[in-house]
Amino acid sequence: MPNTISTMSFSILARFNCPRARRGHSVRSDQLLARGTRLSCQVRKMPHVRIKPTNSYRCKDASCTHLSLKAPFLRVQSSLLASSPFFPKAKVENNKSRLPSFLHISDYEESQIDLILERATEVKGFLRAGDRSFRPFKGRTLCMIFTKPSLRTRVSFETGFHLLGGHAIYLGPDDIGLGGREETRDIARVLSRYNDIIMARTFAHQEVLDLAEYGTVPVVNGLTDFNHPCQIMADALTIKEAFGSVKGKKIVYVGDGNNIVHSWLELAAVYPIHFICCCPAGYEPDKDLLLRAQSAGFSSVEVRNDPLNAVRGADVIYGDVWASMNAGQKEEGESRYKAFEGFQINSKLMAAAGPQCRFMHCLPAERGLECTDEVMEASYSLVFEEAENRMHAQNAIMLELLGH
């Protein structure tokens, strides 16, 4: 930010870790004058904050020891920015004021993932107890973009955002024609002016990347053909609830090396787990992503082709469909299903893992193919807790992105 700024009106939103507030609190101002201007905090009458030319922000009260935050956590919005000589158009186009997004789990550090999981547990506790007083999203809107069918993603995002006080808008495949009727970069800029946060569930991963690149509000990756980070955060929350911790747990995925596996690999690159992808030869996950996870030094990461040996000692056996309708794999027909013979998750495979093992599946499931009805309904199945946790994990992600 320049050392001197002409008077203009816009809003500024930053997150502060202050011991006087139960959670991070927001600071908002209608006016930014010259350098050194004080901003009054409207949450619990917190002390004033001074903007410094260094782009760090500290509480003016000497008794307050909250941490300073840097420019990436600053959001600046104004209709005057484009025409202001102090904020040239090039800077706006480069999204200097863009808030962080949630696109890949590997963009986050271990400590940040722990904080999101803790927050998910906390907010889940409120909602499970019937407490609807926590409404941090009041007055905010979530724009949800879908280019493929959805049950859990739509309902969990829309319901979760509503329960925390916000309003969600659904845009289906025929509403905007993402990347077709209108370029994604234009859609990103327009929606950023109407909404506080965007969630997108798309086929092409590049579409989500473009929304984040050209938009100025956080973008949450609700699923692409490449990865599914929200699902794996919900999975991590479920494992934490079942075992007390995710760290060091042996998770064996049995099936196709698809977008679910890619997000597990992204987690393994920054978070200590033992992850095995057990799949038929020729159905392995992305090689570059696998190599990055293995070389990161956080986790033990393997690819195997023998399910009975792979699952021994596993804490979790994880399944997914063998052929995704969204990815066009159903068209491969019987040839694809034949490759997965011997990879069904059944009672024999669960027994081989041991009595401590739990079963998980991201849904939808094709019972009788990748898993049996018996396994889905067994006492060791965490499938429906896992599905519920989509909402709680996503709420925590959005709370983090919006500075709450």
Side-chain angles (χ1 to χ4, degrees), residues 253 255-262 277 279 283-286 336 340:
Y253 174 96
D256 182 30
N258 59 14
N259 53 359
I260 291 290
V261 176
H262 290 167
C277 173
C279 59
Y283 292 88
E284 295 85 358
D286 181 83
R336 185 177 183 88
F340 285 90

Side-chain angles (χ1 to χ4, degrees), residues 51-352:
I51 290 185
K52 299 180 180 179
T54 58
N55 283 346
S56 65
Y57 309 92
R58 238 177 231 289
C59 199
K60 286 284 292 175
D61 190 327
S63 66
C64 182
T65 58
H66 77 258
L67 303 175
S68 62
L69 294 174
K70 301 298 181 180
F73 293 88
L74 175 66
R75 176 188 182 189
V76 180
Q77 293 180 315
S78 173
S79 60
L80 299 177
L81 289 182
S83 59
S84 170
F86 299 99
F87 291 91
K89 184 176 182 180
K91 290 190 177 182
V92 176
E93 293 300 318
N94 288 333
N95 290 318
K96 296 296 185 181
S97 61
R98 185 177 65 231
L99 281 174
S101 292
F102 189 78
L103 307 177
H104 316 89
I105 297 179
S106 52
D107 294 335
Y108 287 73
E109 297 178 356
E110 178 184 342
S111 60
Q112 293 173 303
I113 293 170
D114 280 331
L115 286 173
I116 292 173
L117 294 177
E118 290 170 10
R119 197 65 190 284
T121 299
E122 179 186 20
V123 177
K124 180 179 180 178
F126 295 157
L127 297 178
R128 276 287 189 93
D131 183 354
R132 300 295 187 266
S133 62
F134 181 52
R135 298 174 64 81
F137 297 151
K138 183 178 180 180
R140 293 181 178 272
T141 55
L142 161 68
C143 180
M144 306 185 301
I145 300 173
F146 288 86
T147 63
K148 56 170 62 179
S150 171
L151 170 62
R152 278 154 296 280
T153 300
R154 177 178 178 179
V155 177
S156 60
F157 268 104
E158 188 165 343
T159 302
F161 205 73
H162 169 75
L163 288 174
L164 298 190
H167 175 68
I169 300 170
Y170 172 80
L171 295 176
D174 298 327
D175 290 323
I176 56 176
L178 187 67
R181 188 176 68 86
E182 191 168 355
E183 288 196 25
T184 303
R185 56 182 173 176
D186 296 341
I187 292 171
R189 290 166 171 142
V190 170
L191 293 180
S192 293
R193 291 171 180 258
Y194 300 146
N195 301 279
D196 297 282
I197 188 167
I198 296 169
M199 185 282 297
R201 178 184 175 93
T202 68
F203 290 95
H205 190 63
Q206 188 61 47
E207 290 179 335
V208 170
L209 298 181
D210 288 345
L211 286 170
E213 173 65 24
Y214 293 100
T216 53
V217 300
V219 173
V220 180
N221 177 355
L223 175 143
T224 70
D225 284 350
F226 179 73
N227 68 353
H228 197 354
C230 288
Q231 178 65 57
I232 272 54
M233 290 299 291
D235 297 339
L237 177 60
T238 307
I239 293 170
K240 180 184 176 184
E241 291 174 345
F243 294 96
S245 176
V246 188
K247 295 177 182 178
K249 294 298 176 285
K250 181 177 179 179
I251 299 137
V252 181
Y253 174 96
V254 180
D256 182 30
N258 59 14
N259 53 359
I260 291 290
V261 176
H262 290 167
S263 280
W264 273 115
L265 292 175
E266 290 174 343
L267 179 66
V270 295
Y271 203 88
I273 59 174
H274 181 186
F275 180 72
I276 297 176
C277 173
C278 185
C279 59
Y283 292 88
E284 295 85 358
D286 181 83
K287 292 182 180 179
D288 291 337
L289 192 55
L290 175 63
L291 181 60
R292 288 200 298 271
Q294 290 174 329
S295 60
F298 278 89
S299 304
S300 173
V301 178
E302 307 173 61
V303 173
R304 297 193 192 177
N305 306 115
D306 183 352
L308 277 175
N309 286 327
V311 302
R312 298 193 188 281
D315 296 295
V316 172
I317 296 178
Y318 195 111
D320 193 7
V321 293
W322 291 339
S324 172
M325 182 182 299
N326 294 333
Q329 295 168 350
K330 294 284 187 184
E331 298 171 1
E332 298 177 28
E334 291 301 317
S335 63
R336 185 177 183 88
Y337 289 118
K338 188 174 182 180
F340 285 90
E341 289 180 2
F343 284 81
Q344 184 186 73
I345 302 173
N346 49 35
S347 57
K348 179 181 177 181
L349 197 64
M350 295 299 301

Side-chain angles (χ1 to χ4, degrees), residues 360-374:
M360 296 177 67
H361 194 298
C362 56
L363 300 180
E366 293 189 300
R367 300 184 185 215
L369 288 178
E370 78 271 4
C371 63
T372 62
D373 190 75
E374 179 185 7

